[in-house]
Amino acid sequence: MRSSADYPELPLDAYELSDRDSERMGQATSRLVQRCMRSYGFADFPLNPRREPFREMGTTFTSTVVSISPYGVLDFDHARRWGYGFDPDAKFTPKPAGPEGRAVTQREHEVLDDFGGAGHAGAVVHGLKVPKGGCTGESSRRLMGDATKRTLLWGYVTKRSEKIGKAVAKDARVRRVFGDWSRCVQDKGFKAYDSPRDAFLDKAWRKGASDGNTARTKRELGTAVADIECNRKLNVAGVWWVVSDEKQRADIRRHAARYEAVRADQERLRGRVREVLGEK
């Protein structure tokens, strides 16, 4: 296996919204937001407005999310060039719901996102009260339903996955293969880590890097390559997958009613998306 994408889906993946679901939700949200904004008198509000970076007192704020799959780093080409970091030229921007329109004006922002000012919650614009969170918040509530449903839809599987992940890491089979992997990496002249995740998260890699990336030192690149070589040799990712599959299936059987409630919420959400997109 050369990447995490080469492994079959795990049972809990069936209870997560797909990339296609997310794309369609974005399209539906854009339509709801546009309708809401037009109801407040912004007749030419675009379907997909251009959002300017958030600025305050002349400062632009950006963030970088660094993550690792449970299988560890598996791509040799990436490891040789970027180690445990990322390609700074890679595009992490979500796929837009359609052609980008004009920028949002300050007046529109006040109703769109409820940032205060003339459009604060409770204010009346063109005879209509501005909803909590502006048109963005209102559209989210219309699409997602009440807070209880949103918590179940977005939170339950994530919490179960985290708990199961901890149990997988403690499983004797996983601990044994992690130990073998650690000795293999050490035999290649690098530091002994408890797991591939610990190697990825080593703070030494990010010393001197100001953009959230790693410094890509010779030792980092060498460790990343040794990590993959040992991972593939010992089938570390494969063992992790087998144990995860086993424990996830058991958890779904144990909490069948809760998982089915999540699935039902997903179907209700998909139904609302179809309705907003005019498909039924």
Side-chain angles (χ1 to χ4, degrees):
M1 301 291 185
R2 297 184 177 279
S3 74
S4 58
D6 294 331
Y7 286 86
E9 287 191 341
L10 286 164
L12 288 192
D13 291 335
Y15 298 89
E16 298 280 6
L17 293 172
S18 67
D19 290 343
R20 176 59 175 162
D21 285 324
S22 297
E23 180 181 338
R24 287 171 56 77
M25 285 172 58
Q27 294 170 350
T29 299
S30 293
R31 291 197 186 190
L32 288 173
V33 168
Q34 185 186 53
R35 294 171 191 171
C36 177
M37 292 297 292
R38 288 183 172 180
S39 73
Y40 282 91
F42 302 106
D44 66 339
F45 190 81
L47 184 61
N48 299 296
R50 184 170 71 257
R51 296 273 192 154
E52 300 295 340
F54 179 73
R55 296 174 183 272
E56 182 176 356
M57 297 180 67
T59 301
T60 299
F61 294 89
T62 60
S63 63
T64 300
V65 176
V66 179
S67 62
I68 180 176
S69 81
Y71 308 108
V73 177
L74 300 178
D75 188 328
F76 266 127
D77 291 338
H78 182 98
R80 291 188 184 103
R81 186 172 184 183
W82 305 111
Y84 291 107
F86 57 87
D87 179 353
D89 294 326
K91 304 300 182 182
F92 297 100
T93 305
K95 182 179 180 180
E100 189 176 58
R102 63 167 174 79
V104 178
T105 67
Q106 179 59 40
R107 176 61 174 166
E108 289 170 336
H109 263 304
E110 293 172 351
V111 177
L112 176 64
D113 297 308
D114 182 22
F115 284 153
H120 68 275
V124 176
V125 177
H126 290 282
L128 295 174
K129 183 179 178 181
V130 175
K132 181 179 180 181
C135 282
T136 298
E138 177 68 13
S139 298
S140 177
R141 288 188 291 273
R142 287 191 59 187
L143 197 63
M144 299 294 298
D146 62 45
T148 301
K149 293 295 185 182
R150 291 199 298 273
T151 299
L152 182 61
L153 180 63
W154 297 110
Y156 183 72
V157 176
T158 297
K159 290 180 180 179
R160 296 310 303 171
S161 181
E162 291 174 353
K163 186 171 183 178
I164 294 168
K166 292 177 181 178
V168 169
K170 293 178 181 179
D171 186 274
R173 292 162 291 180
V174 173
R175 291 177 63 185
R176 182 167 51 251
V177 78
F178 277 0
D180 292 341
W181 169 88
S182 181
R183 286 186 289 274
C184 176
V185 172
Q186 190 174 28
D187 288 344
K188 291 178 180 293
F190 301 99
K191 180 179 175 180
Y193 295 95
D194 290 336
S195 72
R197 178 179 177 82
D198 291 326
F200 179 88
L201 295 175
D202 192 329
K203 294 181 180 179
W205 311 145
R206 290 170 177 81
K207 288 182 179 178
S210 60
D211 59 355
N213 208 343
T214 61
R216 297 187 291 280
T217 61
K218 182 178 180 180
R219 187 161 189 81
E220 177 195 342
L221 300 181
T223 301
V225 170
D227 176 352
I228 298 175
E229 290 174 341
C230 293
N231 196 319
R232 292 188 180 182
K233 175 183 176 181
L234 299 166
N235 191 31
V236 176
V239 173
W240 182 276
W241 186 93
V242 168
V243 177
S244 297
D245 179 76
E246 175 187 298
K247 292 187 182 299
Q248 287 188 15
R249 289 183 187 280
D251 198 71
I252 291 171
R253 290 193 297 269
R254 192 176 303 116
H255 304 286
R258 296 297 301 275
Y259 280 105
E260 285 309 307
V262 171
R263 194 190 298 277
D265 279 347
Q266 289 177 339
E267 288 307 310
R268 279 192 285 271
L269 172 59
R270 292 182 181 116
R272 287 192 288 269
V273 168
R274 288 194 295 270
E275 183 178 358
V276 172
L277 295 179
E279 296 175 354
K280 72 172 186 176

